[in-house]
Amino acid sequence: MQESPHPDPRGTSAPGGPGGPGGEVLSRLPGLSRRLFLGAAGGAALTGLLAACAGGAGDTAGASGSRTVPASAPGTPKTGGVLRAGSPPPPTAVDPVTMYDGSAIAIVQLVADYLIWLDRDFKLVPRLAEKWESEEGGRRWVFSLREGVTFSDGTPLNAKAVKATFDRLLDPKSKSAAAAAFDSVLAKGGIGVRGDSTVVFTLERPFSDFPYLVSAGNYNAVILKEDYAGDFTGRPVGTGPFLLESYDASSGAVFTRNPKYWEPGKPYLDGVRITFYADDQADLLALQSGEIDTQILSRPALAGPLDGVGGITVDQVQGTGLTAFTLRVDQPPFDRKEVRQAIAYALDRPGVNAGVYDGIGALGNDHLFAALFPAAPPDVPQRAKDPAKVASLLAAAGVDRLSFALTYDPPSKDYALTVQDQLKQVGIEVELDQRTSGDFYGGDQEKDTPWLFTPANLVGWAGRAVPSQFVIPMVKSGGVWNGSKYANPALDAATDAYDSATTDEERRAQAAIIAGALHEDVPVIIAVWSGAVRAYDAKRFTGVSAHPSSYVDFSSVSRL
């Protein structure tokens, strides 16, 4: 079965990874898990209940609607203390090689580390690799490992362990979602070592953003021991800031400070305790009551309004997840560009952001370069709702009355309802075709799976570290997840040139070509880029922050 596109580190049951999951798949957005798509009324009711539980009016400083700026750590960090976090239980075994859900990823990220960390603003931060550089025009990448790092069992980190880690991810038998991220870029056998502390990646083609693929942006890429053979929770060995002392799939996990951690003085905490809660409400009530100090996976619609209530701070950050409103360009009525453009002009994007994303997202512009991507073109005119233009475009296409079915799975229900309502306002009728997630992503991936073959559908894509991870599979000719069946030789050429570009100027020039083509041709409508939040008790701890992919880095968290 063909893998599908969307990893949601936040989801409780969403398979996937930067390259996509294997087997049955559930769509997720970073920051918008299935749990987030609960009805707005229910969310408001819970928020009201929690606010009421918080006490008097003096506790409602966050009622102004402003969100708290990212947490910082003023002054000298205090050592000691245990951070208590809430999270849904991982739906499957916690294995760094195959993990895909937010809870499992968080557990592993507390124990293991990456060559490079992906910061909240998508900057690359050296971790186990101190530096890296390209050779042969970006076809070869050389990484120098940090000296003196040891695994928690005392084994020194060396180049062989890094090589084994990526060989393992590239082995089809591992069934790691990470493998798809390396498709056409790095093949098994392309990794070599120079001595104990240098790793050489020889690529199949030049790829200027390759460091992102071996960073936390490819979340399965944590560095494990050379002889790692599974059973991570039974033998949890890593180079991360904490040691996994105990794990119970139904109740939670306990971590203690790793005395061998490579960064001097860190972590500041003595430990972390994660408690599993069956649903969002229980998780948030635990935070509100003081039973826990933070959440691993905060749901914006619930947590956002509590910012400032009872000492809770809700940090927020922009992301690169999206819901692709895919239109098949090879079938009527969407074989007419004017029809696709008309639908794009019918959408009220701020309304989608407010209604579906609790207002934390960023407006999309029907191309695949989020503002977070450095090469994002600044000059593509922002598309906005324009009923007059909708009418003229449909008239130009010879369409008197437009109606179509929109296929989706339950996590996209709110989005689908919003689209239906907004298009109705301009006279376009949308028949909602909700499938189970199993049905939506099931079937023959080469012939009839709904998410790739229905005329119009909604597919959630989790955030990616680089735009090529969207462009190549989604809209390049013959792309593995090209549900629109879009083909544009100019875009294909620009995509190849973008990947091999050696300067920022060249990369931006190619990005402008790609974005311009997608904005004009509209094979997919990107109305909003998602965001993410993390709620925590700011009276007790500092240094907790949101991450676009809901990753956790508690090494700098300090008690107050």
Side-chain angles (χ1 to χ4, degrees), residues 80-96:
V82 175
L83 182 73
R84 303 164 299 168
S87 176
T92 58
V94 177
D95 184 337

Side-chain angles (χ1 to χ4, degrees), residues 302-320:
L302 290 179
L306 292 179
D307 187 30
V309 177
I312 293 175
T313 285
V314 181
D315 187 29
Q316 72 176 69
V317 67
Q318 291 296 308
T320 63

Side-chain angles (χ1 to χ4, degrees), residues 9 12-13 38 54 59 66 84 103 107 120 137 158 173 214 223 263 281 303 308 346 355-356 358 374 447 474 482 542:
T12 58
S13 58
L38 297 178
D59 293 328
S66 63
R84 303 164 299 168
S103 298
I107 290 169
R120 57 182 283 140
N158 59 25
K173 294 179 182 177
V214 296
I223 304 304
E263 189 168 4
Q281 287 83 352
V356 181
D358 195 37
K447 296 179 180 177
M474 194 191 300
N482 186 340
T542 185

Side-chain angles (χ1 to χ4, degrees), residues 454-543:
T454 50
N457 59 63
L458 299 174
V459 177
W461 288 67
R464 302 306 204 254
V466 295
S468 294
Q469 291 178 296
F470 288 122
V471 174
I472 292 174
M474 194 191 300
V475 293
K476 193 177 179 184
S477 302
V480 66
W481 298 319
N482 186 340
S484 68
K485 314 310 173 193
Y486 180 65
N488 183 336
L491 180 142
D492 296 346
T495 301
D496 292 341
Y498 178 91
D499 284 344
S500 59
T502 57
T503 67
D504 291 342
E505 182 180 10
E506 184 181 358
R507 194 173 294 109
R508 283 194 291 270
Q510 300 305 327
I513 295 172
I514 298 167
L518 293 175
H519 187 267
E520 172 66 19
D521 294 342
V522 202
V524 291
I525 296 172
I526 311 299
V528 178
W529 293 90
S530 69
V533 303
R534 176 163 287 139
Y536 68 99
D537 185 348
K539 301 189 307 300
R540 300 191 69 236
F541 290 95
T542 185

Side-chain angles (χ1 to χ4, degrees), residues 375-468:
D379 301 326
V380 181
Q382 175 62 53
R383 185 163 277 148
K385 182 178 179 178
D386 188 340
K389 197 149 190 169
V390 173
S392 66
L393 286 165
L394 291 179
V399 177
D400 295 329
R401 179 177 176 276
L402 178 61
S403 63
F404 63 90
L406 180 63
T407 306
Y408 59 96
D409 72 332
S412 294
K413 181 179 179 180
D414 283 4
Y415 201 106
L417 289 168
T418 300
V419 167
Q420 183 188 46
D421 177 65
Q422 293 191 359
L423 296 194
K424 185 177 181 179
Q425 295 176 29
V426 295
I428 300 174
E429 296 295 326
V430 177
E431 176 188 352
L432 299 184
D433 176 25
Q434 179 172 312
R435 312 286 183 91
T436 66
S437 294
D439 288 343
F440 187 63
Y441 294 104
D444 189 326
Q445 303 294 307
E446 302 296 330
K447 296 179 180 177
D448 59 13
T449 182
W451 76 277
L452 290 178
F453 287 92
T454 50
N457 59 63
L458 299 174
V459 177
W461 288 67
R464 302 306 204 254
V466 295
S468 294

Side-chain angles (χ1 to χ4, degrees), residues 298-340:
S298 289
R299 180 179 161 194
L302 290 179
L306 292 179
D307 187 30
V309 177
I312 293 175
T313 285
V314 181
D315 187 29
Q316 72 176 69
V317 67
Q318 291 296 308
T320 63
L322 59 90
T323 291
F325 185 173
T326 305
L327 304 171
R328 281 195 64 167
V329 304
D330 61 339
Q331 292 184 356
F334 306 120
D335 55 343
R336 293 295 302 265
K337 180 174 69 177
E338 295 87 348
V339 174
R340 304 193 298 271

